[in-house]
């Protein structure tokens, strides 16, 4: 079933995602596209019922106010202009529309139907995947995280055995993570899974690299190289499946907004990529990805698994990665997850992890001066990963976690708790 769509064109607003979620909450599908989308490309989108021209504080690019393709104004689409004075519409708003105004535009002006739900979304994506892939094969990076697991389930439904899953252990995984991926996907779900241990390869490439953006791009690029090598061993591989979701794209920058940080699956791909991309989740927010996973029949334990960045512990071992600090991150993270599960916080807190900065502090161990690393604990709650609040952990639990880290993790003499929300901080440190 083709779902009706309202297209939001980004003309410099910082509220694109807010309007998109408001429309989806009404049961109507919405997508955000750049302001300069051509009439021809918009015509390729299916079931577009109306357009929101979403202007704002970033409307000036290279000294000029952005506008849409002039051909769109005469194309017959109902339009709602928000904070966009140059729009040739009869319907204009100076500020973010309230629910009543937006509902009137969506249902009365655009005559859209409330047929946005995960069942219909999956049906549409399965059809699009089949059209795109045909009889070829898709190579998927299966980390075992929520995004890649949901993509795997979607691709299995769409193309079955044409999917080849590859799990790359880059040496930056959480404790026992790779072992768990193999157990669940190969032994339990019987996926066509290839396991690659590339620990030394990745750590060699990252040696001495401190800049977080460079680290992310090295990891992303090396991932692709590994996949290319695996693809050469197979026949018919023409596509690369990815678990890109909408916050990844937003934070990697748009034509009217600056980059927050590049994501390995958005900003770190090499220009000579040999595959076409299959990204069925790229218009979904994190909570929608989880709902999609449940609709696809994945177990709740997998769908609500702790989020884990593509670069793994590489962005939690701050600065240039060293093996001693990487091990400190891995071991302290395992303690944190174990204690959160004991306290029932694993079901309450959206994301929690540890990081180890690349500097040391003075301490005392065994009645002698020591100069060792510190561990920072971060625990946040969010709905869509665009904003986040800090979880207020009971002092007794924090004290128990701290004592275990100090006693069990080598080269650590200090533990801190991060109290910074998003914004101004991001969820990860790098």
């Amino acid at each position: 079933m083709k779902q009706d769509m309202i297209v939001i064109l980004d003309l410099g607003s910082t509220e694109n995602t807010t309007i998109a979620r408001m429309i989806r909450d009404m049961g109507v599908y919405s997508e955000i596209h750049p302001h300069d989308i051509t009439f021809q490309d918009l015509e390729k989108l299916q079931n577009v019922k109306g357009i929101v021209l979403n202007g704002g504080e970033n409307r000036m690019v290279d000294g000029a106010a952005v506008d849409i393709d002039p051909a769109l104004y005469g194309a017959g689409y109902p339009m709602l202009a928000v904070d966009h004075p140059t729009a040739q519409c009869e319907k204009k708003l100076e500020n973010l529309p309230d629910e009543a105004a937006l509902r009137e535009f969506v249902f009365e002006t655009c005559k859209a139907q409330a047929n946005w739900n995960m069942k219909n979304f999956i049906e549409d994506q399965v059809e699009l995947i089949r059209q795109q892939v045909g009889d070829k094969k898709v190579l998927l990076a299966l980390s075992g995280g929520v995004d890649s697991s949901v993509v795997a389930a979607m691709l299995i439904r769409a193309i079955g055995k044409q999917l080849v899953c590859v799990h790359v252990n880059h040496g930056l995984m959480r404790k026992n993570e790779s072992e768990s991926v193999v157990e669940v996907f190969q032994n339990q779900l019987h996926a066509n899974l290839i396991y690659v241990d590339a620990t030394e390869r990745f750590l060699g490439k990252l040696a001495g690299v401190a800049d977080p953006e460079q680290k992310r791009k090295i990891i992303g690029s090396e991932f692709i190289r590994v996949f290319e090598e695996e693809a050469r061993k197979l026949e018919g591989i023409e596509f690369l499946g990815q678990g890109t979701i909408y916050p990844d794209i937003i934070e990697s920058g748009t034509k009217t907004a600056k980059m927050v940080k590049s994501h390995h699956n958005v900003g770190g791909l090499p220009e000579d990529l040999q595959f076409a991309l299959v990204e069925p989740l790229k218009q979904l927010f994190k909570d929608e990805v989880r709902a999609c996973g449940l609709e696809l029949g994945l177990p709740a334990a997998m769908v609500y698994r702790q989020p884990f960045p593509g670069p793994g512990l590489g962005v939690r071992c701050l600065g240039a990665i060293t093996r001693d600090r990487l091990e400190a991150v891995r071991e302290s993270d395992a303690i944190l997850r174990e204690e959160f599960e004991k306290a029932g916080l694993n079901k309450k807190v959206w994301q929690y992890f540890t990081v180890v900065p690349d500097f040391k502090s003075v301490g005392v161990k065994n009645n002698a001066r020591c100069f060792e690393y510190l561990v920072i604990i971060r625990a946040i709650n969010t709905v869509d990963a665009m904003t986040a609040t800090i979880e207020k952990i009971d002092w007794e639990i924090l004290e128990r976690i701290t004592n275990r880290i100090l006693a069990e993790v080598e080269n650590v003499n200090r533990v801190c708790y991060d109290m910074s929300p998003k914004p101004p901080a991001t969820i990860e440190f790098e």
Side-chain angles (χ1 to χ4, degrees):
M1 178 180 184
K2 298 300 182 185
Q3 299 168 98
D4 289 351
M5 183 197 305
I6 302 296
V7 171
I8 300 165
L9 296 186
D10 176 15
L11 289 116
S13 176
T14 59
E15 303 288 347
N16 293 310
T17 57
T18 301
I19 293 181
R21 292 190 66 88
M22 288 174 67
I23 294 173
R24 292 187 189 188
D25 287 344
M26 296 174 187
V28 178
Y29 184 55
S30 62
E31 284 188 2
I32 303 168
H33 288 272
H35 65 88
D36 57 356
I37 186 172
T38 65
F39 170 77
Q40 290 77 13
D41 286 339
L42 188 72
E43 286 282 280
K44 294 177 184 177
L45 300 178
Q46 298 179 344
N47 285 31
V48 175
K49 296 297 182 180
I51 300 174
V52 177
L53 307 180
N54 203 24
E57 60 191 64
N58 297 320
R59 66 168 61 90
M60 302 297 294
V61 175
D62 296 329
V66 297
D67 202 354
I68 63 173
D69 182 346
L72 291 178
Y73 284 121
Y77 294 105
M79 290 186 177
L80 172 63
V82 180
D83 195 12
H84 183 55
T86 62
Q88 302 172 27
C89 305
E90 301 192 15
K91 182 69 174 179
K92 295 184 180 181
L93 296 176
E94 294 183 1
N95 300 304
L96 181 70
D98 57 23
E99 182 178 351
L102 199 55
R103 185 174 291 276
E104 178 183 0
F105 174 71
V106 170
F107 293 111
E108 296 183 20
T109 304
C110 299
K111 310 297 183 184
Q113 296 184 35
N115 54 11
W116 156 245
N117 56 60
M118 278 303 151
K119 182 179 179 181
N120 290 342
F121 175 79
I122 291 170
E123 289 179 358
D124 285 353
Q125 289 302 317
V126 165
E127 181 180 337
L128 291 172
I129 291 168
R130 289 172 177 168
Q131 291 175 0
Q132 180 183 8
V133 173
D135 61 354
K136 304 300 181 182
K137 292 181 180 178
V138 178
L139 196 64
L140 172 68
L142 182 55
S143 68
V146 178
D147 302 338
S148 66
S149 297
V150 175
V151 168
M154 178 101 61
L155 288 170
I156 288 170
R157 178 171 293 192
I159 59 174
K161 294 298 184 179
Q162 294 169 241
L163 173 66
V164 179
C165 298
V166 177
H167 175 68
V168 178
N169 180 359
H170 49 21
L172 306 171
M173 305 295 290
R174 291 176 290 201
K175 190 173 183 178
N176 298 324
E177 193 85 30
S178 287
E179 294 84 349
S180 174
V181 169
V182 173
E183 170 61 27
V184 171
F185 287 95
Q186 182 169 286
N187 300 341
Q188 297 180 21
L189 300 182
H190 308 292
N192 185 5
L193 177 65
I194 297 172
Y195 173 76
V196 181
D197 187 350
T199 299
E200 296 303 320
R201 175 173 176 170
F202 275 83
L203 293 185
K205 291 280 187 180
L206 291 165
V209 179
D211 179 74
E213 282 303 303
Q214 190 178 358
K215 285 199 296 185
R216 285 178 176 271
K217 291 181 178 180
I218 288 173
I219 294 169
S221 178
E222 202 62 21
F223 255 110
I224 300 301
R225 299 309 177 201
V226 172
F227 294 143
E228 287 178 336
E229 292 169 11
E230 294 302 319
R232 293 190 192 105
K233 305 173 186 177
L234 305 167
E235 294 182 357
I237 298 289
E238 294 190 7
F239 296 91
L240 177 66
Q242 287 204 138
T244 308
I245 65 174
Y246 194 66
D248 296 343
I249 297 173
I250 289 292
E251 290 191 336
S252 293
T254 66
K255 294 181 178 179
T256 60
K258 295 181 179 179
M259 179 185 70
V260 177
K261 59 183 177 182
S262 69
H263 287 258
H264 76 286
N265 51 3
V266 178
L269 298 176
E271 294 182 0
D272 59 343
L273 182 67
Q274 299 298 309
F275 307 108
L277 296 180
V278 180
E279 300 174 298
L281 307 182
K282 66 181 180 181
Q283 291 291 344
L284 295 187
F285 296 95
K286 196 71 175 189
D287 57 317
E288 295 171 334
V289 173
R290 297 187 194 280
C292 183
L294 292 175
E295 183 66 33
L296 285 165
L298 290 176
M302 183 179 296
V303 170
Y304 289 100
R305 194 173 192 172
Q306 265 287 293
F308 194 53
L313 300 183
V315 293
R316 296 177 182 174
C317 184
L318 308 184
I321 297 171
T322 60
R323 292 177 186 265
D324 57 347
R325 285 193 301 112
L326 182 59
E327 192 61 21
V329 176
R330 199 185 328 268
E331 292 298 325
S332 61
D333 177 79
I335 291 172
L336 178 67
R337 288 188 288 127
E338 183 179 326
E339 291 297 331
F340 265 40
E341 185 173 357
K342 288 179 181 178
L345 290 171
N346 62 315
K347 298 179 180 178
K348 180 184 178 185
V349 183
W350 189 82
Q351 188 169 9
Y352 45 94
F353 56 89
T354 62
V355 301
V356 177
D358 58 347
F359 61 85
K360 298 180 178 181
S361 67
V362 176
V364 177
K365 279 188 176 180
N366 301 320
N367 298 316
R369 178 185 183 276
C370 64
F371 194 51
E372 297 180 330
Y373 299 115
L374 64 95
V375 169
I376 302 173
I377 297 172
R378 186 148 174 78
I380 58 97
N381 284 312
T382 182
V383 172
D384 57 15
M386 300 303 295
T387 61
T389 58
I390 303 304
E391 177 67 20
K392 298 177 181 178
I393 308 297
D394 288 344
W395 187 261
E396 185 177 314
I397 297 173
L398 275 179
E399 188 174 36
R400 183 164 62 249
I401 294 169
T402 298
N403 290 338
R404 280 197 60 189
I405 290 175
L406 294 177
E408 300 175 29
V409 181
E410 295 184 4
N411 302 310
V412 169
N413 66 1
R414 195 179 298 268
V415 177
C416 301
Y417 189 67
D418 182 5
M419 294 292 294
S420 311
K422 177 182 179 178
T426 55
I427 292 176
E428 298 286 343
F429 274 61
E430 291 188 341

